Amino acid sequence: MRYSFLSLLKNGLTGQSGWKPAWRDAAPKPAYDVIIVGGGGHGLATAFYLASEHGIRNIAVIEKGHIGSGNAGRNTTIIRSNYLLPGNEPFYEWSMKLWEGLEQALNYNAMVSQRGILNLYHSDAQRDAYARRGNAMRLAGADSELLDRDGVRAMYPFLDFDNARFPIQGGLAQRRGGTARHDAVVWGYARAADQLGVDIVQNCEVTGFLTEGDAIVGVETSRGAIRAKKVGLAVAGSSSRVAKQAGLKLPLESHVLQAFVSEGLKPLVDGVITFGAGHFYISQSDKGGLVFGGDIDGYNSYAQRGNLPVVEDVAESGMALMPRIGRLRLLRMWGGIMDMSMDGSPIIDRTPRPGLYLNSGWCYGGFKATPASGWCFAHLLATDADHATATAFKLDRFRTGHLIDEKGVGAQPNLH
């Protein structure tokens, strides 16, 4: 069934009795052409683009829980392409372009809202760095606009410009940035992939790999062995644990990233704002709650929950930027498991094991990268060649020295 005004009208007149499940709850078959491990946004997007762009439809997406129960449903929903380095910016700009056509491609309302993102600066040096980044964005075809203090005040007059510990001097705006509904992105890709014949197998945990010599030829799961010509891993913060079952040690660390939602308010923040003097970012959901977050917890963990010191740090940054939010009550908070790479940039590449491919290392950038990640990983799985925008995301760059250190902080995963 194609979603449209006519389908809404028809079902409205017939007691909403004609709707069908958005996707099948498939049982695993003995063998597939491609198995994608991980039923989040990246895994489902990969399956969709394999089917829609490359004609490969004998695919299974295997998820140990229910789809979207990992990081795809545990983030602050921001989409943007405001990166500096040539290894990153073309990829994220391609992702932004895919976001702009996503709802039409999937025939699903993913609630993509290009409400704009504003990165604040608080010093002359930070202004110069943002000007450099804005120029790099323009060279890659993205939009950018460097605003002075008055330009920021015209957008957000309620920010603390004069009395804050870090006075606001201006900001770098990307008008095409914004937010998307994370759950809807997962559901849209799942529905579209299912309609192209992809099997979405939930409650199916990978417990090992089938091998022939060094080659990976399938997976062992809690629902039995499944063979495949190619296996792709898209399991975010669980990448190290799953890859270990194939005898691989990845240049990744797993850390918890917390996010928060306040009680509902009348419209206040109509875009996305990031604090330049601390790690804090905030937007407002369609239901009125303020959605915000900050730094990862500073130690390794696979737990989907955070700790109070980071809550305090995030609250302090928010109060420095917008003192008025101190009167708000938090409704809920949650944690996602970040796969932090050694240079803060992702990996989309073959592994040393033939037949096994890797999509990981997304750090803070996983949600915004969802469409391009799926597109480029599908291209790699289908053609065994790197997509033009993902040629720098090599697994061996940590050995060869071709790093993509966007923040320039070195091999310290928790600082990226």
Side-chain angles (χ1 to χ4, degrees):
M1 178 186 294
R2 181 170 179 80
Y3 293 160
S4 66
F5 171 77
L6 291 178
S7 66
L8 286 172
L9 179 62
K10 177 182 177 181
N11 281 280
L13 295 174
T14 56
Q16 308 293 348
S17 60
W19 299 113
K20 297 179 180 179
W23 60 85
R24 296 169 293 120
D25 189 12
K29 296 188 295 190
Y32 293 91
D33 291 334
V34 179
I35 289 175
I36 307 297
V37 182
H42 290 228
L44 291 165
T46 300
F48 169 70
Y49 292 123
L50 274 170
S52 63
E53 301 299 321
H54 301 281
I56 301 172
R57 302 195 175 190
N58 186 25
I59 304 168
V61 177
I62 296 175
E63 168 56 43
K64 70 175 182 179
H66 60 271
I67 61 169
S69 58
N71 288 0
R74 294 170 173 267
N75 60 77
T76 50
T77 76
I78 298 170
I79 60 175
R80 58 183 176 88
S81 63
N82 52 353
Y83 282 74
L84 169 66
L85 297 181
N88 277 327
E89 176 57 25
F91 172 85
Y92 284 99
E93 176 57 18
W94 175 235
S95 196
M96 180 60 70
K97 290 176 180 176
L98 290 172
W99 279 115
E100 290 172 327
L102 185 68
E103 294 170 324
Q104 290 72 33
L106 300 182
N107 182 227
Y108 200 89
N109 180 15
M111 300 173 70
V112 176
S113 174
Q114 292 181 278
R115 59 187 70 182
I117 183 169
L118 178 66
N119 301 123
L120 299 174
Y121 62 79
H122 306 264
S123 68
D124 291 347
Q126 197 170 34
R127 176 203 60 210
D128 294 346
Y130 280 14
R132 181 186 177 207
R133 188 201 296 183
N135 289 332
M137 292 166 61
R138 291 192 173 197
L139 288 172
D143 64 304
S144 66
E145 182 180 354
L146 193 67
L147 302 177
D148 60 13
R149 181 185 177 96
D150 291 336
V152 173
R153 192 188 295 274
M155 294 178 65
Y156 298 110
F158 54 82
L159 298 180
D160 195 342
F161 287 85
D162 300 311
N163 300 320
R165 182 180 176 189
F166 305 99
I168 296 169
Q169 294 190 13
L172 179 66
Q174 185 181 28
R175 307 283 184 178
R176 290 165 56 237
T179 62
R181 170 76 186 275
H182 46 26
D183 293 326
V185 173
V186 170
W187 301 334
Y189 272 120
R191 177 176 177 271
D194 177 83
Q195 290 181 341
L196 294 173
V198 174
D199 282 353
I200 299 171
V201 185
Q202 302 179 90
N203 300 307
C204 184
E205 182 176 5
V206 170
T207 58
F209 291 89
L210 302 176
T211 62
E212 291 181 0
D214 288 337
I216 300 295
V217 295
V219 292
E220 295 278 4
T221 78
S222 56
R223 299 177 65 174
I226 311 171
R227 297 184 68 86
K229 298 175 183 176
K230 295 180 179 180
V231 177
L233 303 183
V235 292
S238 295
S239 295
S240 296
R241 289 196 294 185
V242 177
K244 184 179 180 180
Q245 297 173 355
L248 300 177
K249 185 176 182 179
L250 301 179
L252 302 173
E253 290 184 0
S254 293
H255 291 259
V256 178
L257 176 63
Q258 299 186 62
F260 309 87
V261 177
S262 78
E263 60 185 321
L265 302 174
K266 292 182 178 180
L268 175 66
V269 182
D270 60 1
V272 181
I273 307 172
T274 74
F275 185 36
H279 200 175
F280 178 81
Y281 37 90
I282 188 168
S283 62
Q284 188 167 11
S285 74
D286 293 329
K287 293 190 290 185
L290 297 183
V291 183
F292 53 92
D295 276 320
I296 58 174
D297 284 44
Y299 59 89
N300 303 142
S301 176
Y302 291 110
Q304 291 179 317
R305 60 184 182 275
N307 295 277
L308 288 175
V310 173
V311 178
E312 182 179 12
D313 179 70
V314 171
E316 287 176 348
S317 295
M319 288 288 289
L321 177 64
M322 302 169 55
R324 65 177 57 190
I325 69 172
R327 301 174 62 185
L328 284 178
R329 291 172 292 185
L330 286 180
L331 284 188
R332 59 187 178 275
M333 53 190 284
W334 61 89
I337 308 172
M338 301 294 103
D339 40 333
M340 307 295 292
S341 69
M342 294 296 160
D343 62 357
S345 295
I347 301 164
I348 302 178
D349 200 7
R350 308 158 195 80
T351 73
R353 302 293 300 269
L356 184 64
Y357 299 75
L358 181 65
N359 178 324
S360 67
W362 291 101
C363 302
Y364 290 90
F367 181 72
K368 69 183 72 69
T370 299
S373 169
W375 185 284
C376 295
F377 200 32
H379 186 275
L380 176 65
L381 285 163
T383 67
D384 270 311
D386 300 321
H387 188 266
T389 64
T391 55
F393 299 157
K394 292 291 191 180
L395 178 59
D396 69 353
R397 70 177 184 268
F398 306 98
R399 176 177 57 83
T400 63
H402 294 86
L403 305 181
I404 320 169
D405 192 345
E406 190 79 25
K407 292 181 68 176
V409 295
Q412 192 75 15
N414 63 307
L415 297 181
H416 289 289

